Each structure stands twice: as structure tokens, then as C-alpha cells.
Amino acid sequence: RRPKSANGTSIIKIISATMFAAQSARLVTRNVVVPAGRQQQKRGFINWLTNYPDKVMETKRIQQAGGTCQGEYNPTWLKQPGDNITLMIGAGLCGYGLILSSMGMYKLATGKGKKD
């Protein structure tokens, strides 16, 4: 006996109809001609990612300027442009967190700011 679907049609008929629709769609789209002068794919950001310039040696040259063992006078993590801004943002966030946690500890220790 062949299995039946909910509406009584044979599942094999449904599968063969689906296969026929897929094959006919493939045949129809195979012969579609793209108009001349029209580009199919521009690959805008993909070309940018694959042809990205290699700046490793340039960055390495900046990092090693004046030697690598400079210590506190010329730290490696402050040699590139924009490193000072990153340092200031990080220090500001750490300072803000320290102030808030100190205020919380004080309120816990003294019992201030409790909700009754």
C-alpha cells in the first residue's frame, strides 16, 4: 500500500510533482540571457576585503621605532596614532567604575540610601 497525505493524494505523486517543478524551473532559467553591457556581480566589499593592502610591516616599523625595550619613557602601546585617545577612554571608564563602586561601598557601610 502506498502512503497517503492528509487530503488523500499519494505522497509519491506529490514528490514527483515537486521534482518536475524544480527541473522545469532549472531549464527555464538556464536559457535566460543577460543583456550585453550589464554586469552580473559587482563584488564591492568582497574586492575590498580580498585586495586589502598589507600594512603589517608598516605597523611593525612604527612599533619598533627606537627599540622595543623603552619601558615607561616610550611604551609600545602608545606609539601608533590614536593610542592616546584609547588610553583616555579606558582610563575614564575605569575611573568612573571605581567612583561608583566606592560610593556603593560607602552606602553599604553606613546604611545611607536605603529604601524603607
Side-chain angles (χ1 to χ4, degrees), residues 9-50:
T9 59
S10 172
I11 292 186
I12 296 192
K13 286 182 183 177
I14 295 172
I15 291 174
S16 62
T18 306
M19 288 176 56
F20 174 74
Q23 287 175 353
S24 60
R26 193 177 318 134
L27 288 174
V28 168
T29 57
R30 182 184 304 166
N31 297 326
V32 173
V33 178
V34 177
R38 183 173 165 208
Q39 198 176 23
Q40 277 196 341
Q41 191 179 45
K42 292 194 175 188
R43 297 178 55 100
F45 76 96
I46 295 174
N47 281 338
W48 177 77
L49 287 173
T50 55

Side-chain angles (χ1 to χ4, degrees), residues 70-89:
Q70 298 287 320
E72 64 195 55
Y73 300 113
N74 189 14
T76 305
W77 47 273
L78 280 177
K79 288 186 178 181
Q80 292 185 18
D83 284 346
N84 291 333
I85 296 169
T86 307
L87 172 68
M88 294 299 172
I89 291 172

